[in-house]
Amino acid sequence: MAEHEYTLPRAEFDKPVKILIVVAPFYRDIADNLIAGATAEIEATGGIFEIAEVPGALEIPTAIGIAERMANFDAYVALGCVIRGETTHYDTVCNDSSRGITLLGLQGLCIGNGILTVENRAQAEVRADPKAMNKGAGAAAAALHLVALARKWGGPRKGVGFKPATDDIQIAGATKGKPIA
């Protein structure tokens, strides 16, 4: 029996979606292909985007968390490539970047994870090819579908993510307006 993959129809929106693409361009050619796929998918829905570069895949969840607190995006696309090397660093980077993205998603952020985790460069090239399997486009499509669900189910987020309930920050042992002795 042949395997059949199903792809959801492209998400549609009444008002444009603003997306932040956070990319770790360690393998520049792979990253550029992932970006090409993601931006084409976003533009196909009438969305707009910004791109932020970070040093590596481990910094992607942190950058998304900062953007969620300090900017105004509907969704995020995480892009990068981790190729297995000779040490266990590969496992740490793959697991921790994925875990960070998952935790942000569970807090209500709409994130498409397009961080490739592969055994070799050839696998990465196939998965980043803009004319074929491009996982950058798939990650953007995932983020867009999550935005569509969020808009379907309700209004703006309240108390989700890293935003404090108030602007007052209380430090243990301090009283409002008085320094800690």
Side-chain angles (χ1 to χ4, degrees):
M1 174 184 246
E3 289 186 32
H4 296 282
E5 295 179 0
Y6 175 74
T7 302
L8 292 173
R10 182 170 279 137
E12 296 180 8
F13 301 96
D14 293 335
K15 66 176 195 161
V17 176
K18 183 178 177 185
I19 296 185
L20 177 64
I21 298 170
V22 180
V23 61
F26 188 80
Y27 300 102
R28 181 88 251 177
D29 58 328
I30 300 294
D32 287 344
N33 282 342
L34 292 169
I35 292 167
T39 57
E41 184 64 24
I42 295 165
E43 289 171 344
T45 66
I48 58 173
F49 61 88
E50 290 181 29
I51 298 173
E53 292 187 349
V54 295
L58 287 174
E59 290 75 36
I60 292 172
T62 303
I64 291 171
I66 292 168
E68 179 66 13
R69 284 193 315 274
M70 304 180 90
N72 186 25
F73 294 98
D74 296 302
Y76 304 90
V77 177
L79 300 177
C81 178
V82 185
I83 299 175
R84 186 178 298 279
E86 297 176 1
T87 68
T88 58
H89 184 65
Y90 170 87
D91 297 314
T92 298
V93 174
C94 293
N95 293 333
D96 290 353
S97 62
S98 178
R99 183 177 301 112
I101 290 167
T102 298
L103 290 173
L104 290 168
L106 291 172
Q107 293 175 13
L109 281 67
C110 299
I111 306 173
N113 186 350
I115 301 173
L116 303 180
T117 55
V118 297
E119 298 294 322
N120 55 57
R121 176 170 263 286
Q123 289 177 348
E125 289 169 353
V126 168
R127 285 158 180 77
D129 185 346
K131 297 178 186 110
M133 182 190 285
N134 192 282
K135 295 297 184 179
L144 290 161
H145 277 285
L146 292 171
V147 171
L149 284 174
R151 288 184 179 179
K152 173 184 174 183
W153 289 333
R157 298 181 302 265
K158 296 178 185 164
V160 174
F162 296 102
K163 296 178 184 177
T166 68
D167 289 335
D168 293 337
I169 298 173
Q170 295 293 318
I171 299 173
T175 57
K176 194 168 187 171
K178 296 183 183 178
I180 298 174

